[in-house]
């Protein structure tokens, strides 16, 4: 990354620390981080924010959230300086987005014994869907399955508990997220195809053009240099495809 004006640093990290937001879940994904037995947080987004802080020579202050809606609101309020989150039109009205490092496809998981075989079958009267509050996935589920009833829960952990006891008909999340959760849900199935595709992109508070320029350059550098590839590999997603650099 080229030399940065000190005033631009101040716009990105006004407290002198890089306050980076991450979202945790019971199983890691290309987006979700996990907590180990000691309470330490690990994952792709943690590695990327660590690389950002090292490149900027700033201390990293991780902020932990239960869902992407929470981290969106934290960035929007300026309480969080930078984070990664799935991008959609609702969020574009709250934060400013830079490039994506990965693209997700959202689908449904159905619990053991379910007769639902396809995404289209979810869009029926009487079908109950559970999604994570204030997320791109739950908003897309409402749009694409208007005949179903959609309930929002605050965390992937609660969703997993509900899926384990069949406390709904379908559960909305991304394919890569379900890959880590399936071992915890004997007999559950992930439906093929998708009802949404979007990028997991870097985001900063609105109106901070200098900050956006800095983090956009950092994530592009991370894609080109292999930092993103190594972060995905370390998290166990060796087949996950890194988003192409913008140039």
């Amino acid at each position: 990354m080229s030399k940065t004006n000190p005033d631009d640093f101040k716009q990105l990290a006004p407290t002198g620390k890089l306050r980076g937001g991450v979202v945790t879940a019971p199983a890691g994904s290309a987006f979700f981080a996990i907590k180990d037995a000691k309470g330490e947080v690990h994952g792709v987004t943690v590695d990327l924010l660590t690389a950002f802080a090292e490149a900027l020579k700033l201390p990293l202050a991780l902020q932990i959230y239960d869902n992407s809606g929470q981290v969106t609101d934290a960035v929007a309020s300026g309480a969080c300086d930078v984070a990664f989150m799935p991008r959609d039109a609702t969020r574009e009205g709250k934060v400013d987005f830079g490039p994506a490092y990965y693209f997700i496809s959202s689908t449904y998981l159905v619990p053991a014994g379910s007769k639902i075989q396809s995404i289209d079958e979810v869009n029926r009267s009487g079908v109950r869907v559970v999604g994570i509050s204030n997320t791109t996935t739950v908003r897309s589920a409402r749009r694409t399955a208007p005949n179903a009833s959609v309930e929002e829960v605050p965390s992937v952990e609660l969703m997993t508990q509900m899926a384990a006891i069949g406390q709904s008909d379908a559960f909305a999340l991304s394919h890569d997220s379900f890959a880590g959760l399936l071992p915890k849900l004997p007999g559950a199935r992930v439906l093929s195809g998708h009802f949404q595709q979007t990028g997991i992109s870097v985001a900063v508070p609105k109106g901070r053009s200098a900050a956006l320029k800095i983090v956009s350059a950092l994530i592009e550098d991370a894609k080109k240099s292999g930092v993103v590839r190594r972060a995905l590999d370390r998290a166990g997603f060796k087949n996950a495809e890194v988003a192409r650099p913008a140039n």
Side-chain angles (χ1 to χ4, degrees), residues 6 32 100 102 120 126 130-131 157 178 191 206 215 233 243:
F32 292 125
Y102 180 74
D120 287 344
V130 169
E157 183 174 8
F178 281 138
L191 303 183
K206 273 198 166 297
V215 299
D233 289 350

Side-chain angles (χ1 to χ4, degrees), residues 66-68 130-135 138 152-156 159 172-173:
D66 290 328
N67 64 59
S68 58
V130 169
I132 307 302
S133 301
N134 195 19
T135 61
V138 79
E152 298 188 16
V153 297
S155 67
V156 178
M159 172 189 277
L173 212 58

